[in-house]
Coordinates of all heavy atoms in Angstrom, one line a residue:
G317 N 21.4 41.4 56.6 CA 20.1 40.9 56.8 C 19.4 40.8 55.5 O 20.0 41.0 54.4
L318 N 18.1 40.5 55.6 CA 17.3 40.4 54.3 C 16.9 41.8 53.8 O 16.4 42.6 54.5 CB 16.0 39.6 54.5 CG 16.3 38.1 54.8 CD1 15.0 37.4 55.1 CD2 17.0 37.4 53.6
C319 N 17.2 42.0 52.5 CA 17.0 43.4 52.0 C 15.5 43.7 52.0 O 14.7 42.9 51.6 CB 17.5 43.4 50.5 SG 17.2 45.0 49.7
P320 N 15.1 44.9 52.5 CA 13.7 45.3 52.5 C 13.3 45.9 51.1 O 12.1 46.2 51.0 CB 13.7 46.4 53.6 CG 15.0 47.0 53.7 CD 16.0 45.8 53.3
F321 N 14.2 46.0 50.2 CA 13.9 46.6 48.9 C 13.8 45.6 47.8 O 13.4 46.0 46.7 CB 14.9 47.7 48.6 CG 15.1 48.7 49.7 CD1 16.3 48.8 50.4 CD2 14.0 49.4 50.2 CE1 16.4 49.7 51.4 CE2 14.1 50.3 51.2 CZ 15.4 50.4 51.9
H322 N 14.2 44.4 48.0 CA 13.9 43.4 47.0 C 13.7 42.0 47.7 O 14.0 41.9 48.9 CB 15.0 43.3 46.0 CG 16.2 42.5 46.3 ND1 17.2 42.9 47.2 CD2 16.5 41.2 46.0 CE1 18.1 41.9 47.3 NE2 17.7 40.9 46.6
D323 N 13.0 41.1 47.0 CA 12.6 39.9 47.6 C 13.8 38.9 47.5 O 14.3 38.6 46.5 CB 11.5 39.3 46.7 CG 10.7 38.3 47.5 OD1 10.7 38.4 48.8 OD2 10.1 37.4 46.9
E324 N 14.3 38.5 48.7 CA 15.4 37.5 48.7 C 15.3 36.6 49.8 O 14.6 36.8 50.8 CB 16.7 38.3 48.7 CG 16.9 39.1 50.0 CD 18.3 39.7 50.1 OE1 19.1 39.5 49.1 OE2 18.6 40.4 51.1
S328 N 21.6 39.6 51.4 CA 22.7 40.3 50.7 C 22.7 41.8 51.1 O 23.4 42.6 50.4 CB 22.5 40.1 49.2 OG 21.2 40.2 48.8
F329 N 21.9 42.2 52.1 CA 21.8 43.5 52.5 C 22.8 43.8 53.6 O 22.8 43.1 54.7 CB 20.4 43.8 53.1 CG 20.1 45.1 53.6 CD1 19.7 46.1 52.7 CD2 20.2 45.4 54.9 CE1 19.4 47.4 53.2 CE2 19.9 46.7 55.4 CZ 19.5 47.7 54.5
N330 N 23.8 44.6 53.4 CA 25.0 44.8 54.3 C 25.0 46.1 54.9 O 24.7 47.1 54.2 CB 26.3 44.6 53.5 CG 26.5 43.1 53.3 OD1 27.3 42.4 53.9 ND2 25.8 42.5 52.3
W338 N 25.0 51.6 54.2 CA 24.4 50.3 53.9 C 24.5 50.1 52.4 O 24.4 51.0 51.7 CB 23.0 50.2 54.5 CG 22.1 51.2 54.0 CD1 22.0 52.5 54.4 CD2 21.2 51.1 52.8 NE1 21.0 53.2 53.7 CE2 20.5 52.4 52.7 CE3 20.9 50.1 52.0 CZ2 19.6 52.6 51.7 CZ3 19.9 50.4 51.0 CH2 19.3 51.6 50.9
Y339 N 24.5 48.8 52.0 CA 24.5 48.5 50.6 C 23.9 47.1 50.4 O 24.2 46.2 51.2 CB 25.9 48.6 50.1 CG 26.0 48.3 48.6 CD1 25.5 49.2 47.7 CD2 26.4 47.0 48.1 CE1 25.5 49.0 46.3 CE2 26.4 46.8 46.7 CZ 26.0 47.7 45.8 OH 26.0 47.5 44.5
C340 N 23.1 47.0 49.4 CA 22.6 45.6 49.0 C 23.2 45.1 47.8 O 23.1 45.7 46.7 CB 21.0 45.7 48.8 SG 20.4 44.1 48.3
F341 N 23.9 44.0 47.9 CA 24.5 43.3 46.8 C 23.5 42.8 45.8 O 23.8 42.5 44.7 CB 25.5 42.2 47.2 CG 26.7 42.8 47.8 CD1 26.8 42.9 49.2 CD2 27.8 43.1 47.0 CE1 28.0 43.4 49.8 CE2 29.0 43.6 47.6 CZ 29.1 43.8 49.0
G342 N 22.3 42.5 46.3 CA 21.3 41.9 45.5 C 20.6 42.9 44.5 O 20.5 42.6 43.3
C343 N 20.3 44.1 45.0 CA 19.6 45.0 44.1 C 20.3 46.3 43.9 O 19.9 47.2 43.2 CB 18.2 45.3 44.7 SG 18.1 46.2 46.2
G344 N 21.5 46.5 44.6 CA 22.3 47.7 44.3 C 21.8 48.9 45.1 O 22.4 50.0 44.9
A345 N 20.8 48.8 45.9 CA 20.4 50.0 46.7 C 21.4 50.2 47.8 O 22.1 49.3 48.3 CB 19.0 49.7 47.3
G346 N 21.6 51.5 48.2 CA 22.5 51.8 49.3 C 22.5 53.2 49.6 O 21.9 54.0 49.0
Ligands
ZN1265 ZN1 18.3 44.5 47.8

Side-chain angles (χ1 to χ4, degrees):
L318 290 176
C319 180
F321 308 117
H322 85 280
D323 201 29
E324 63 174 1
S328 43
F329 180 85
N330 284 257
W338 56 277
Y339 181 75
C340 174
F341 287 94
C343 67

